[in-house]
């Protein structure tokens, strides 16, 4: 809020979001807005500009992927969007309200490492956020079971994290992010640590969950393929200081299939992202 | 047994470590009996096993009475050493300024052979149980404290970030995340600290005391009654084994926990 924003959110370059007036969209539960966000790090007196003039307008129910070279601050941006980190300037709104602190009722977060608590079973891990709020045992058990079934882990409720594969752990983590029914799900390179086959099938799983629940999804990745495969809209960021240098509406039909990855259109998309990032990372 | 089957070299004689341990133990016991009997070792230095066990049984009432006195002192000292050590260790581990103050003090003190302070303790608290308890508590507290504090710092910070993303309160962070995450460390501190508490009590009893199993050993030693000295030693060994068994039991109960921690849950 430090910087006045006269031309509020005129940034989304056309696309489907243009068909509804932004002001109405912005107050819908699933809407995400980032307003003139700047961020600088101050490490031992040395000031580093990490993010510069980030503006985002995400309509409810959209699948938005943020992609950029490593170190561009895309993960930091996501952490600010979740309310975990406070930006130096500018603000983030989810469902029309500022994100000054994490709020699992509005935004579910999934981290790169599944970050499950090893002393809890899958079921208890998913129940954990509910138990912090004092939701009665029977209700939270039912809700957690429900979400575990949604992510395809019916029958694995009593497993401990060390008994689950990497992909399964990420599924539990997604179930945990969804257990409070937030309209928005934010994922920080959730599949980066997985092998390629698992990564592809987890992408399909996430798309299925997204289509089934109608959440707004903000997904950070460094994988061009993942970006083009999953997104409605791709936000391309530059190397440090991170700025938004391109916004791409992905016009590939849904449901996405593995075969689409070998179509010319898919290659074009990848190339467009690559050309943006290449000029940044090449130096 | 399963290992023996899956071993690729079938010619090799394979003995399970467990079996080997028992065999070694039995050999030692047999030597204990035979060497003094054969006259290789004077029985003043090492009375035969049967004689020792005989002395133990003949004075069973005495040993049990003094053992119970020692046990009581050990129990109280454990509460102080482990409770306080782990509690303060958790605090100092999660609060950096507190750690910076306490760490040099504690690790410096840990290097001091605390036994030199025991005469002071008897001067302050008398030769009753109080001085034993005070000495053993401090003796066991330091490793508990140092171990727990170091353990808290190795806890994956991501656990706390996740908790914050779920809007956990500060108290919930400590009780629901920090404490359970520290359990494996707490256990290994308990093992070291608890063993030192036993050492502390027995040593204190041997130095200056009017009762307890350590006192009994010293008394018989001054009387050159070797079988009874060794019988006392047997009792202390049994005590240590019992403690070890107890810790193992707790470890077994929390195995899922520790397994996941060790397998490095975050990375796949």
């Amino acid at each position: 809020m430090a910087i006045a924003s006269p031309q509020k959110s005129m940034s989304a370059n056309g696309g489907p979001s243009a068909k509804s007036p932004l002001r109405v969209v912005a107050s819908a539960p699933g809407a995400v807005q980032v307003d003139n966000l700047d961020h600088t790090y101050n490490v031992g007196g040395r000031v580093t500009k990490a993010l510069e003039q980030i503006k985002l307008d995400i309509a409810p129910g959209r699948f938005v992927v943020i992609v950029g070279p490593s170190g561009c601050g895309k993960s930091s941006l996501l952490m600010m969007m979740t309310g975990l980190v406070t930006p130096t300037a500018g603000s983030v709104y989810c469902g029309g309200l500022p994100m000054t602190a994490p709020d699992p009722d509005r935004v579910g977060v999934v981290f790169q490492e599944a970050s499950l608590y090893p002393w809890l079973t899958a079921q208890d891990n998913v129940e954990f956020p509910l138990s912090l709020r004092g939701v009665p045992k029977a209700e939270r058990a039912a809700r957690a079971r429900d979400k575990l079934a949604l992510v395809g882990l019916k029958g694995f409720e009593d497993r401990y994290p060390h008994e689950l594969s990497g992909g399964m752990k990420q599924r539990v983590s997604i179930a945990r992010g969804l257990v409070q029914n937030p309209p928005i799900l934010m994922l920080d390179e959730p599949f980066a640590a997985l092998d390629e086959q698992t990564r592809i099938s987890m992408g399909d799983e996430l798309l299925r969950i997204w289509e089934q629940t109608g959440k707004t999804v903000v997904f950070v990745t460094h994988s061009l393929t993942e970006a083009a495969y999953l997104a409605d809209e791709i936000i391309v960021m530059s190397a440090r200081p991170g700025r938004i240098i391109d916004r791409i509406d992905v016009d590939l039909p849904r449901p996405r299939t593995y075969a689409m990855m070998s179509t010319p259109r898919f290659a074009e998309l990848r190339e467009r992202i690559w050309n943006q990032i290449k000029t940044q990372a090449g130096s | 047994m399963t290992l023996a089957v899956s071993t690729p070299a079938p010619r090799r004689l394979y003995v399970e470590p467990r079996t080997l341990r028992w065999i070694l133990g039995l050999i030692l016991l047999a030597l204990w009996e035979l060497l003094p009997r054969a006259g290789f070792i004077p029985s003043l230095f090492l009375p035969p096993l049967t004689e020792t066990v005989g002395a133990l049984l003949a004075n069973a009432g005495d040993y049990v009475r003094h053992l119970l006195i020692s046990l009581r002192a050990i129990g109280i000292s454990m509460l102080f050493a482990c409770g306080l050590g782990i509690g303060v260790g958790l605090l100092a581990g999660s609060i950096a300024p507190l750690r910076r103050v306490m760490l040099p003090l504690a690790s410096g003190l840990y290097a001091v052979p605390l036994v030199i302070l025991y005469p002071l303790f008897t001067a302050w608290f008398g030769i009753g149980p109080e001085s034993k308890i005070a000495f053993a508590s401090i003796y066991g507290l330091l490793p508990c404290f140092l171990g727990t504090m170091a353990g808290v710092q190795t806890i994956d910070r991501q656990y706390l970030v996740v908790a914050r993303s779920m809007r956990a309160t500060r108290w919930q962070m400590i009780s629901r995340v920090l404490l359970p995450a520290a359990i494996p460390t707490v256990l290994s501190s308990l093992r070291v600290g608890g063993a030192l508490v036993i050492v502390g009590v027995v040593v204190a009893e041997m130095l200056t005391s009017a009762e307890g199993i350590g006192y009994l050993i010293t008394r018989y030693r001054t009387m050159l009654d070797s079988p009874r000295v060794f019988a006392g030693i047997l009792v202390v060994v049994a005590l240590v084994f019992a403690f070890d068994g107890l810790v193992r039991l707790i470890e077994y109960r929390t195995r899922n926990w520790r397994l996941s921690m060790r397998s490095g849950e975050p990375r796949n």
Side-chain angles (χ1 to χ4, degrees):
Chain A
M1 295 302 271
I3 299 169
S5 48
Q7 33 146 262
K8 189 172 186 176
S9 54
M10 289 300 290
S11 44
N13 70 341
S17 63
K19 66 190 166 204
S20 45
L22 277 165
R23 241 161 250 291
V24 178
V25 172
S27 60
V32 180
Q33 277 183 296
V34 178
D35 221 12
N36 292 316
L37 184 145
D38 280 293
H39 195 66
T40 45
Y41 291 111
N42 193 339
V43 182
R46 259 187 53 198
V47 178
T48 313
K49 201 153 183 71
L51 293 166
E52 202 170 55
Q53 286 297 300
I54 305 290
K55 292 175 198 167
L56 281 175
D57 234 303
I58 300 171
R62 295 269 279 175
F63 200 123
V64 174
V65 174
I66 302 174
V67 67
S70 57
C72 73
K74 53 190 189 296
S75 285
S76 307
L77 174 60
L78 195 79
M79 290 303 106
M80 289 168 206
M81 292 170 76
T82 63
L84 274 164
V85 177
T86 309
T88 314
S91 26
V92 175
Y93 298 89
C94 292
L97 297 167
M99 286 301 284
T100 46
D103 183 358
D105 286 323
R106 279 191 287 162
V107 177
V109 190
V110 176
F111 297 91
Q112 178 178 346
E113 313 290 1
S115 321
L116 303 175
Y117 294 127
W119 56 89
L120 298 177
T121 61
Q123 171 82 15
D124 290 339
N125 264 294
V126 179
E127 279 184 31
F128 191 81
L130 298 176
S131 75
L132 292 180
R133 305 300 184 75
V135 176
K137 177 75 193 158
E139 186 193 336
R140 66 175 196 246
R143 280 169 69 178
R145 252 198 310 278
D146 193 45
K147 291 298 181 247
L148 279 171
L150 174 70
V151 299
L153 282 183
K154 206 173 166 62
F156 290 89
E157 290 87 352
D158 297 329
R159 301 288 185 90
Y160 283 89
H162 72 97
E163 299 171 314
L164 299 172
S165 70
M168 286 167 145
K169 282 187 232 178
Q170 249 342 328
R171 285 172 199 251
V172 176
S173 182
I174 291 170
R176 182 174 63 182
L178 290 173
V179 75
Q180 300 199 60
N181 271 323
I184 303 159
L185 189 63
M186 296 188 184
L187 307 95
D188 181 19
E189 305 203 33
F191 310 144
L194 305 177
D195 60 82
E196 197 181 350
Q197 292 100 303
T198 315
R199 197 181 317 147
I200 291 169
S201 63
M202 283 302 292
D204 285 334
E205 274 296 291
L206 183 62
L207 286 178
R208 179 185 63 75
I209 293 163
W210 170 66
E211 268 153 25
Q212 220 167 313
T213 56
K215 308 279 179 199
T216 308
V217 173
V218 183
F219 187 104
V220 165
T221 183
H222 59 255
S223 158
L224 310 184
T225 311
E226 208 167 53
Y229 187 64
L230 299 174
D232 285 331
E233 182 179 352
I234 301 170
I235 308 289
V236 185
M237 287 180 66
S238 68
R240 185 174 293 160
R243 281 171 288 111
I244 294 174
I245 48 173
D246 199 6
R247 297 164 197 263
I248 306 168
D249 279 304
V250 181
D251 47 12
L252 293 168
R254 297 211 184 254
R256 303 276 162 84
T257 59
Y258 184 75
M260 281 180 196
M261 289 195 198
S262 44
T263 60
R265 181 66 194 128
F266 195 88
E268 266 171 50
L269 278 167
R270 275 189 48 133
E271 202 171 300
R272 178 166 163 192
I273 309 169
W274 173 239
N275 284 330
Q276 308 275 358
I277 293 178
K278 184 177 62 180
T279 50
Q280 298 290 328
S283 51
Chain B
M1 280 313 228
T2 48
L3 254 173
V5 173
S6 62
T7 307
R11 292 278 171 104
R12 266 249 197 77
L13 178 68
Y14 180 80
V15 186
E16 256 189 283
R18 195 184 160 80
T19 322
L20 205 60
R21 254 197 331 263
W22 278 104
I23 293 174
L24 276 174
L26 286 174
I27 291 175
L28 280 176
L29 287 179
L31 288 176
W32 185 355
E33 179 65 27
L34 295 174
L35 289 179
R37 289 252 180 250
F40 287 117
I41 299 176
S43 57
L44 177 67
F45 297 164
L46 183 71
L49 174 63
T50 45
E51 213 175 301
T52 305
V53 174
L56 180 64
L57 294 178
N59 303 282
D62 231 15
Y63 283 110
V64 169
R65 192 170 65 79
H66 285 276
L67 178 64
L68 286 178
I69 288 163
S70 299
L71 274 179
R72 190 170 154 271
I74 288 170
I76 297 172
S77 310
M78 288 264 190
L79 283 183
F80 277 119
C82 301
L84 219 61
I86 290 167
V88 180
L90 280 175
L91 273 180
S94 40
I95 304 169
L98 192 62
R99 181 170 62 246
R100 280 195 283 273
V101 173
M102 299 193 71
L103 181 62
L105 271 178
S107 51
L109 202 58
Y110 190 39
V112 176
L114 289 174
V115 116
I116 58 171
L117 298 178
Y118 190 64
L120 280 178
F121 280 68
T122 50
W124 294 340
F125 302 110
I127 58 166
E130 292 85 357
S131 54
K132 292 194 273 193
I133 290 170
F135 174 68
S137 298
I138 294 175
Y139 202 44
L141 188 143
L142 288 170
C144 273
F145 167 75
L146 289 169
T148 308
M149 191 179 59
V152 169
Q153 283 174 273
T154 61
I155 291 173
D156 194 339
R157 294 287 120 182
Q158 187 67 16
Y159 291 158
L160 296 175
V161 175
V162 172
R164 229 156 53 72
S165 82
M166 302 170 189
R167 221 167 60 192
T169 61
R170 180 162 278 269
W171 170 243
Q172 283 173 331
M173 296 252 209
I174 294 177
S175 65
R176 306 287 302 275
V177 181
L178 219 53
L179 198 64
I183 286 285
T185 318
V186 166
L187 267 181
S188 55
S189 309
L190 189 75
R191 187 186 273 280
V192 179
L196 285 188
V197 163
I198 297 177
V199 171
V201 166
V202 173
V203 164
E205 285 170 350
M206 292 179 81
L207 286 173
T208 321
S209 182
E211 46 189 6
I213 195 74
Y215 157 77
L216 212 56
I217 292 174
T218 306
R219 195 181 74 184
Y220 288 135
R221 196 205 60 213
T222 50
M223 290 156 57
L224 293 182
D225 191 344
S226 290
R228 290 190 195 179
V229 170
F230 276 85
I233 290 171
L234 272 184
V235 170
V236 174
V237 169
L239 182 66
V240 172
F241 275 25
F243 171 74
D244 193 60
L246 194 70
V247 175
R248 270 173 210 266
L249 187 73
I250 302 174
E251 279 178 344
Y252 180 73
R253 285 283 170 84
T254 55
R255 64 196 177 285
N256 264 319
W257 215 295
R258 289 175 305 107
L259 253 177
S260 342
M261 300 287 211
R262 219 178 306 131
S263 69
E265 188 272 320
R267 255 149 281 271
N268 177 40

